[in-house]
């Protein structure tokens, strides 16, 4: 396997050669996906590059609307570009485009990444994709300005659960320190992320909690959200993102599972607390993610009870294997 520093060098050379660059992230982007891609926008613009930030999703998650250049993200892929760089995306099909570009650089931190790029910078030891971007910049002596730092720091905060996850170590805090030195206002970002709640989310949360089902002697928990529940409460997809984390917070729970009815089928969000590897469950369902946070979409299936029964088999196995 090629040394990551060598990949950083090759990537920098490809960037310097390119004139027009597209930055792309996975469908239904989270803070790390958008934060990582937007962090590169300012850096590349300062290098004199023509830069487009693309994401197929409409609308984008509004809780991230404070990020610099958020309004630059487009859902129309440019016709002509030399280079595409993807961020935080484990497989090509989740980019929302049909054809592979002339040259694709794949930057990610998911261990389940399929290495679909011409250059693949995958660091599963990184706490976020933004940390991989940060390491790339540091290695190549690229200045990280305030705008880029805000995006990187936001990505880091959201993907570490506000520095709560096992992925957090000294390197994570050193990166955060560098972001503050670059001008990041920690209090401002915290307010933007955590003190702009929507009433619709709280109403949806109440309805989701009414569907709670425990199993495996209280070590696993399920809840679900239907389209009807979202319509009644006026909720949007963003409002479902944190439900699974609140389920995991229950004392006895090791694995939390939140199911959401989607146009394609049922979206499954999985979290674990101490020892269970939920990435294996997600991969078995055609998805992926991390040991403690993963997800998948069971396409064409709209029966919650049927999906729960499928998941219970995997969850029971995961609980036994990892104890």
């Amino acid at each position: 396997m090629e040394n990551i520093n060598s990949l950083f060098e090759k990537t920098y050379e490809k960037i310097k050669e390119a004139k027009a660059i597209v930055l792309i992230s996975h469908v239904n982007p989270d803070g790390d996906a958008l934060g990582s891609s937007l962090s590169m926008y300012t850096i590349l613009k300062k290098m004199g590059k023509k830069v487009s930030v693309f994401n197929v999703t409409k609308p984008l998650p509004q809780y991230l609307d404070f990020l610099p250049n958020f309004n630059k993200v487009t859902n129309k892929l440019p016709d002509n570009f030399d280079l595409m760089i993807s961020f935080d995306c484990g497989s090509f099909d989740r980019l929302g485009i049909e054809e592979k570009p002339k040259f694709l650089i794949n930057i990610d931190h998911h261990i389940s990444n399929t290495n679909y790029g011409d250059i693949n910078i995958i660091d599963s030891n990184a706490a976020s994709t933004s940390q991989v971007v940060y390491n790339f910049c540091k290695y190549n002596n690229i200045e990280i300005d305030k705008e880029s730092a805000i995006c990187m720091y936001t990505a880091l905060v959201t993907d570490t659960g506000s520095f709560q996850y096992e992925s957090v170590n000294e390197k994570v805090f050193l990166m955060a320190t560098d972001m503050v030195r670059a001008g990041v206002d920690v209090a401002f970002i915290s307010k933007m992320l955590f003190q702009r709640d929507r009433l619709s989310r709280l109403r949806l949360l109440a309805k989701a909690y009414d569907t709670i089902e425990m199993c495996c002697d209280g070590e696993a928990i399920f809840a679900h959200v239907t389209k009807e529940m979202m319509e009644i409460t006026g909720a949007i997809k963003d409002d479902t993102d944190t439900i699974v984390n609140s389920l995991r917070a229950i004392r006895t729970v090791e694995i939390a599972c939140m199911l959401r009815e989607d146009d394609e089928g049922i979206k499954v969000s999985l979290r674990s607390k101490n020892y269970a590897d939920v990435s294996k469950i997600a991969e078995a369902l055609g998805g992926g993610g991390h040991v403690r946070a993963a997800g998948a979409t069971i396409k064409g299936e709209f029966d919650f009870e049927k999906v729960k029964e499928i998941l219970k088999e995997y969850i029971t196995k995961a609980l036994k294997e990892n104890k």
Side-chain angles (χ1 to χ4, degrees), residues 59-71:
L60 292 170
Q62 289 304 299
Y63 74 96
L64 296 169
D65 63 1
F66 68 93
L67 290 176
N69 301 303
F70 179 86
N71 62 346

Side-chain angles (χ1 to χ4, degrees), residues 18-296:
K19 292 181 180 178
I21 301 172
V22 172
L23 308 175
I24 186 171
S25 53
H26 61 72
V27 296
N28 300 317
D30 56 9
D32 194 20
L34 277 185
S36 295
S37 52
L38 284 171
S39 73
M40 283 294 286
Y41 177 81
T42 307
I43 289 168
L44 296 180
K45 290 293 283 185
K46 285 188 173 181
M47 290 176 65
K49 306 300 178 183
K50 182 180 178 183
V51 189
S52 301
V53 187
F54 172 85
N55 192 286
V56 73
T57 307
K58 287 177 64 178
L60 292 170
Q62 289 304 299
Y63 74 96
L64 296 169
D65 63 1
F66 68 93
L67 290 176
N69 301 303
F70 179 86
N71 62 346
K72 298 288 198 308
V73 183
T74 177
N75 63 354
K76 187 178 186 305
L77 191 66
D79 293 326
N80 298 303
F81 54 92
D82 309 312
L83 174 65
M84 177 178 282
I85 307 175
S86 69
F87 300 87
D88 200 48
C89 187
S91 58
F92 181 79
D93 62 303
R94 294 203 70 231
L95 290 174
I97 59 175
E98 294 181 4
E99 294 183 13
K100 282 200 173 184
K102 287 183 285 187
F103 202 93
L104 174 60
I105 297 171
N106 167 23
I107 301 177
D108 192 17
H109 73 129
H110 294 95
I111 196 168
S112 56
N113 192 286
T114 60
N115 293 295
Y116 54 85
D118 296 292
I119 295 177
N120 298 289
I121 305 178
I122 317 300
D123 185 358
S124 60
N125 293 316
S128 66
T129 297
S130 69
Q131 190 176 17
V132 184
V133 176
Y134 166 79
N135 291 337
F136 163 78
C137 292
K138 294 291 283 185
Y139 181 81
N140 288 298
N141 295 312
I142 298 169
E143 181 186 357
I144 298 172
D145 64 8
K146 183 177 178 179
E147 287 191 354
S148 294
I150 289 170
C151 295
M152 284 187 196
Y153 180 81
T154 300
L156 187 66
V157 169
T158 55
D159 235 39
T160 59
S162 299
F163 306 106
Q164 294 182 76
Y165 298 160
E166 291 170 344
S167 58
V168 176
N169 55 27
E170 181 185 7
K171 291 179 180 178
V172 169
F173 286 114
L174 288 172
M175 173 182 167
T177 300
D178 265 3
M179 299 301 95
V180 173
R181 286 174 178 154
V184 167
D185 184 336
V186 171
F188 170 76
I189 290 178
S190 295
K191 287 172 186 173
M192 292 296 100
L193 289 175
F194 307 118
Q195 295 181 35
R196 294 195 297 163
D197 215 341
R198 290 163 49 91
L199 181 58
S200 60
R201 191 190 77 83
L202 298 180
R203 287 175 171 156
L204 181 67
L205 196 61
K207 290 189 176 294
Y209 283 171
D210 281 340
T211 72
I212 282 177
E213 176 189 339
M214 306 283 285
C215 68
C216 304
D217 297 322
E219 288 190 275
I221 187 170
F222 288 91
H224 68 258
V225 168
T226 65
K227 284 185 179 180
E228 183 182 13
M229 288 160 64
M230 294 185 71
E231 287 170 7
I232 290 170
T233 58
I236 58 176
K237 287 180 181 180
D238 290 3
D239 294 328
T240 67
D241 290 345
T242 58
I243 294 175
V244 68
N245 293 328
S246 64
L247 297 175
R248 177 176 56 182
I250 294 172
R251 184 189 294 268
T252 63
V253 169
E254 172 59 25
I255 296 178
C257 180
M258 214 288 287
L259 309 177
R260 175 170 60 81
E261 186 181 6
D262 198 40
D263 291 337
E264 293 182 296
I266 292 179
K267 189 177 187 305
V268 180
S269 295
L270 295 157
R271 299 290 185 273
S272 65
K273 189 181 291 179
N274 296 308
Y275 60 85
D277 184 351
V278 292
S279 69
K280 290 181 179 178
I281 300 174
E283 285 170 20
L285 299 171
H290 306 290
V291 172
R292 299 286 174 262

